[in-house]
Amino acid sequence: MRFFIDSADVNEVRELAKSGLVDGVTTNPSLIAKEIARASGEDSVEDSGGGIHRRIGELCALLDGPVSAEVVATDFSEMYKEGKSLSKIAKNVAVKVPLTESGLRCCHALSLEGIDVNVTLCFSSAQALLAAKSGARFVSPFIGRLDDIGHDGLQLIEEILELYSHYTFRTEVLVASVRSIGHVVASARMGAPIATLPPKIFRALYKHPLTDSGLEAFLSDWRESKQSIL
Ligand code: E4P
């Protein structure tokens, strides 16, 4: 399973990428706005677009894998223009569009031009089918948000993987809105190719209390044995 980091924080992504385990990055307008506000020390953000392009450029320079940059326009022609402009930031940009009629039309147009598109805000198998037919490089089902409203996000992943297995779509399932280690492991057991992880979930994957206590005991025994030798 490839791991993407779901963050627009350049420093954080740089640190996590040192692990050698990070294969890409996803951002969305909320994450970018939060990051610009944090960086400028303000509560709200006014940004003409320059800040977004700069941050996406910085993220793209950190790794070879895809960095998803989302459009904010909602009508086709503006979305298409925005997508083209985002795609020019770096060769590893994947343009992210919402799963709407305009979004899928834009996905189709950009994909025909060889631009990678990540179709986001996917909440059903029917939507995932349309995204694949539109030529998407990635489809992002939001499992945590489905769980939040009492649905079963992981079941959606299972359904989409099963559905895609009958065809030769190029679209890869990018498990998104991940809230727990359980989400990651269950998606991996189903064979989902990619999950995008908030930094705290990525870090949590390393952890087990028995690893910590075991290491503490090993080191303590080692220190004691050295003292008795000396
Ligand atoms: C993915 O591309 C999205 O940015 C993200 O996974 C959304 O997660 P959230 O539901 O925690 O906001």
Side-chain angles (χ1 to χ4, degrees), residues 10 13-14 17 25 53-67 89-93:
V10 176
V13 173
R14 182 184 295 112
V25 175
H53 280 230
R54 182 168 64 76
R55 273 167 183 76
I56 296 295
E58 287 172 358
L59 289 167
C60 286
L62 296 177
L63 67 178
D64 295 332
V67 173
I89 297 174
K91 66 177 187 333
N92 54 333
V93 166

Side-chain angles (χ1 to χ4, degrees), residues 205-226:
L205 292 177
Y206 287 94
K207 301 287 182 194
H208 195 285
L210 291 180
T211 305
D212 295 340
S213 57
L215 180 60
E216 204 177 305
F218 285 157
L219 295 180
S220 152
D221 290 347
W222 176 244
R223 277 192 298 270
E224 273 175 32
S225 80
K226 270 176 62 184

Side-chain angles (χ1 to χ4, degrees), residues 71-121:
V71 299
V72 289
T74 52
D75 72 292
F76 168 73
S77 49
E78 283 304 307
M79 207 185 265
Y80 176 77
K81 265 192 257 166
E82 219 186 309
K84 288 283 283 186
S85 161
L86 289 170
S87 76
K88 287 178 186 141
I89 297 174
K91 66 177 187 333
N92 54 333
V93 166
V95 175
K96 211 172 175 193
V97 301
L99 209 154
T100 58
E101 282 190 43
S102 300
L104 291 188
R105 187 176 157 202
C106 185
C107 172
H108 188 248
L110 294 174
S111 300
L112 282 177
E113 295 177 36
I115 295 169
D116 281 345
V117 179
N118 175 1
V119 176
T120 189
L121 291 167

